[in-house]
Every structure is written in C-alpha cells, then in structure tokens.
Amino acid sequence: MNGTIYERELIHIFSGEQKVLNIYSKKLDEDGRKAALSMLDKPFFVTRSAGSLGADLIAMRHDFSFIVEVKSSIKDKLMFTEASGRMQDQAIRLREMCERAGLFVLYAYRMKGVSGDPWRVFAIPGEVVGRLRSVYSRLPKVGETRNGNFVLKWDQGMLLSRFIEYMNQEV
C-alpha cells in the first residue's frame, strides 16, 4: 500500500533519521535543506496510531506534540467526501478529540511525481489553546466547500520544510 510508504517516510523525517533526511533534503532549496537537516538535532518521538478512524501518526517532543494524518495522491486536490465521506467523518472526529485535548490535527499531503518539496501541511480549522496556538495560527487550514466539506488543495499548503524550520527555530 503506497500510503504506508509515505507514512514511514514522514516518520523518518520527523524522527531525524539521517538517511531519509539526506534523500528528502536533496529535493529542496538551500533554506529547505538546512531546515530539514535540523531534524537531526531536534527529532520527535513518532509512533503509528492504529484504528480506522484514528490518526496515522503521533509526533511528540518536549516543546511540540501533534497528531498527523497522512495523505498522498497524484492529484493536486483531495475531496474529503470521496470514498463515501469516510475522510470527512474521520476529520470531524479527530478535530473534536484534539480540541478537547488542546491539540490540532496536522494533515501532511504528499503529492507524487513533483519536483522540490513534495510535502504540504495543513491544519483542520478548530479551536486550539495554549502554546500550540502560535504554531496552529501559522498553518494554512484545510479548505471547505460551500457545503462545509473539507478539501485539501496541495498548492495551498505550507511546505513541510518551512513547517520544520518554524518548529526548530532557535528562540
């Protein structure tokens, strides 16, 4: 299953694994490469999450924790109402659970066959409190249709390398 390949790629990036970071960073500009390689010094503990309506990954470290849902496609737009609306139901459920805990859901969308950084990140619109609010406020939000259904538009997301740069910046 191709989605599992990309989940593992993201696990290795967030976990600061040298080999995967070297491969990923080759696709990036100089700033992106520097940001990506900063994961070597500031890795997360990342674990896969089980369950059909749960998230794919949980990333934790002393200063940030977030829930990650991984999507991949050859298309530049993913409608959450595809596949009988299962993605839509999952997104609503994850948002509700994360809001109760003061967290947010990070959608990591990997587009296949593109040059440069193939990853874009988004947050589901919601209420976030505490220190994570500043991270959440910088992220582009998952779009919504006129009917209130979620949609991911790859070109409207934040480069994963820029997200990493923000998380790992020196304070």
Side-chain angles (χ1 to χ4, degrees), residues 41-171:
D41 296 324
K42 296 185 176 189
F44 284 84
F45 170 78
V46 186
T47 188
R48 292 181 73 194
S49 175
S52 61
L53 288 178
D56 293 322
L57 309 174
I58 301 169
M60 298 168 280
R61 125 178 137 186
H62 66 92
D63 56 348
F64 292 111
S65 295
F66 46 91
I67 307 303
V68 185
E69 183 62 24
V70 179
K71 300 296 176 197
S72 62
S73 180
I74 58 171
K75 299 184 291 184
D76 63 352
K77 182 166 77 170
L78 289 177
M79 303 294 295
F80 282 44
T81 53
E82 294 172 7
S84 305
R86 187 169 168 257
M87 278 177 46
Q88 180 75 16
D89 294 342
Q90 177 192 37
I92 291 168
R93 184 169 179 268
L94 285 173
R95 176 177 61 187
E96 289 170 356
M97 291 177 3
C98 286
E99 281 182 339
R100 287 183 24 219
L103 299 172
F104 63 87
V105 181
L106 181 78
Y107 271 80
Y109 182 6
R110 190 185 193 285
M111 191 143 136
K112 302 173 188 176
V114 297
S115 59
D117 193 338
W119 288 99
R120 299 293 184 271
V121 293
F122 305 80
I124 286 281
E127 295 295 320
V128 177
V129 296
R131 291 182 9 197
L132 286 179
R133 178 182 248 161
S134 66
V135 176
Y136 172 81
S137 68
R138 291 180 179 265
L139 288 166
K141 305 308 178 266
V142 172
E144 292 186 57
T145 66
R146 287 185 299 239
N147 296 332
N149 295 310
F150 295 125
V151 60
L152 282 176
K153 295 180 181 176
W154 184 82
D155 62 345
Q156 294 180 2
M158 176 186 283
L159 296 166
L160 175 62
S161 56
R162 297 291 173 246
F163 178 64
I164 291 170
E165 179 180 51
Y166 177 71
M167 288 188 309
N168 291 348
Q169 69 187 347
E170 296 298 323
V171 184

